[in-house]
Amino acid sequence: MGYFEQFLVIVVVHFLAVASPGPDFAIVLKQSIRYNRKVAMYTSLGIAAGIILHVTYSLVGIGLLIASDERLFTALKYIAAAYFCYIAWHCIRAEKPAEVMQEDKLTQTELTHPADVEQPPSAKKAFFTGFLINGLNVKATLFFVSLFSVVIAPDTPLGIKLIYGLYLVIATGSWFCFLSYLLTQDKVRKLLARKGYLFDRLMGVVLFILAIQLVLSDLS
C-alpha cells in the first residue's frame, strides 16, 4: 500500500474514532456547558497535545511495550479509571442554576456566567485537563499502537510517519475546537444554560461507566 493509500486509511479510521462518543467528547461537552468557549477551546487543544504523546510513544515503540506488558498496561488502566471517576464525580454533582428557572428572562451575562456556577478554570488548567483525559485514554493507546503497527508499513520512512502524526494532531484539535465553537453558540448556550446540568450529569455517568469498563476488563 502506497503512502497516499495509507494516509486515506488513516483519515477514515481516525475520523470514525474521533467522532465516536468517548471521554474526549464528554470533557469538551462538560467544559462547554459549565464554563465558556475559551475553556472548551483550551481543553480541545489539550486533547490534541495528548495525541502528540500517543504518536510519540508509538513511533519510539513505547506503545508496543505498554500494550505487551500486562503490569504496565494494568497500571495505566487503573490510573485512567481513577481520573475518569474524579471528573465524573464533579459532573454528577452539577446543580441547576437558579437563573434558568426564569425562562426568557436570562441576560447574556447570566447565560455565560450563571451566578451559582463555579468560576471557569484557567487556560492552563483547562489545557491540562484535556491533555490528561486523552493521554490516559487506554483506548487511544490501543488505537495508535494498532494504527502505527498495522496500517502504516514498517518500512515507511520516519518523515512520512511524522507527517501522519502531525495530521492526527491537527485533525483532532480541529474537530474538538469545532465542537467547542458549535456548543458555545448563543442559541446552543441558551439551551445548555437551561438543560446543561442534565448533560453534565449524563457525561458524568458516561465517564463512570468508562471507568468501570476499564476495571472490569482487567478483572476479566
Side-chain angles (χ1 to χ4, degrees), residues 34 93-101 110 113-119 193:
R34 181 172 293 183
R93 294 178 63 193
E95 297 181 358
K96 186 175 182 179
E99 287 86 349
V100 303
M101 297 295 293
E110 288 172 330
H113 303 289
D116 56 352
V117 175
E118 61 192 271
Q119 289 299 310

Side-chain angles (χ1 to χ4, degrees), residues 64-176:
L64 291 173
L65 175 62
I66 293 176
S68 61
D69 191 308
E70 184 177 350
R71 290 173 299 179
L72 284 176
F73 197 56
T74 298
L76 179 62
K77 286 196 287 187
Y78 277 106
I79 291 173
Y83 188 68
F84 288 177
C85 286
Y86 171 77
I87 297 296
W89 174 247
H90 287 281
C91 290
I92 291 176
R93 294 178 63 193
E95 297 181 358
K96 186 175 182 179
E99 287 86 349
V100 303
M101 297 295 293
Q102 305 173 5
E103 290 190 2
D104 300 325
K105 294 182 180 180
L106 293 173
T107 63
Q108 183 62 35
T109 301
E110 288 172 330
L111 282 173
T112 309
H113 303 289
D116 56 352
V117 175
E118 61 192 271
Q119 289 299 310
S122 65
K124 181 178 180 181
K125 184 175 181 180
F127 180 90
F128 193 60
T129 297
F131 178 79
L132 283 180
I133 282 289
N134 186 270
L136 293 175
N137 188 350
V138 180
K139 289 185 178 180
T141 301
L142 294 176
F143 172 79
F144 282 95
V145 170
S146 300
L147 192 65
F148 279 84
S149 60
V150 178
V151 177
I152 302 175
D155 58 350
T156 300
L158 179 59
I160 299 296
K161 291 181 180 179
L162 289 175
I163 292 175
Y164 295 160
L166 180 62
Y167 166 78
L168 292 170
V169 172
I170 294 175
T172 301
S174 299
W175 170 255
F176 285 108

Side-chain angles (χ1 to χ4, degrees), residues 185-204:
Q185 289 289 314
D186 289 343
K187 291 183 179 180
V188 178
R189 277 205 62 81
K190 187 174 182 179
L191 173 63
L192 295 181
R194 292 173 175 160
K195 304 296 183 181
Y197 71 101
L198 295 176
F199 288 103
D200 217 358
R201 293 175 184 177
L202 178 61
M203 289 304 102

Side-chain angles (χ1 to χ4, degrees), residues 7-20 51 143-144 147 167-173 175-176:
F7 180 72
L8 289 180
V9 172
I10 290 172
V11 170
V12 174
V13 173
H14 174 260
F15 176 77
L16 294 175
V18 78
S20 62
I51 301 297
F143 172 79
F144 282 95
L147 192 65
Y167 166 78
L168 292 170
V169 172
I170 294 175
T172 301
W175 170 255
F176 285 108

Side-chain angles (χ1 to χ4, degrees), residues 56-68:
T56 300
Y57 65 54
S58 294
L59 288 176
V60 300
I62 297 178
L64 291 173
L65 175 62
I66 293 176
S68 61

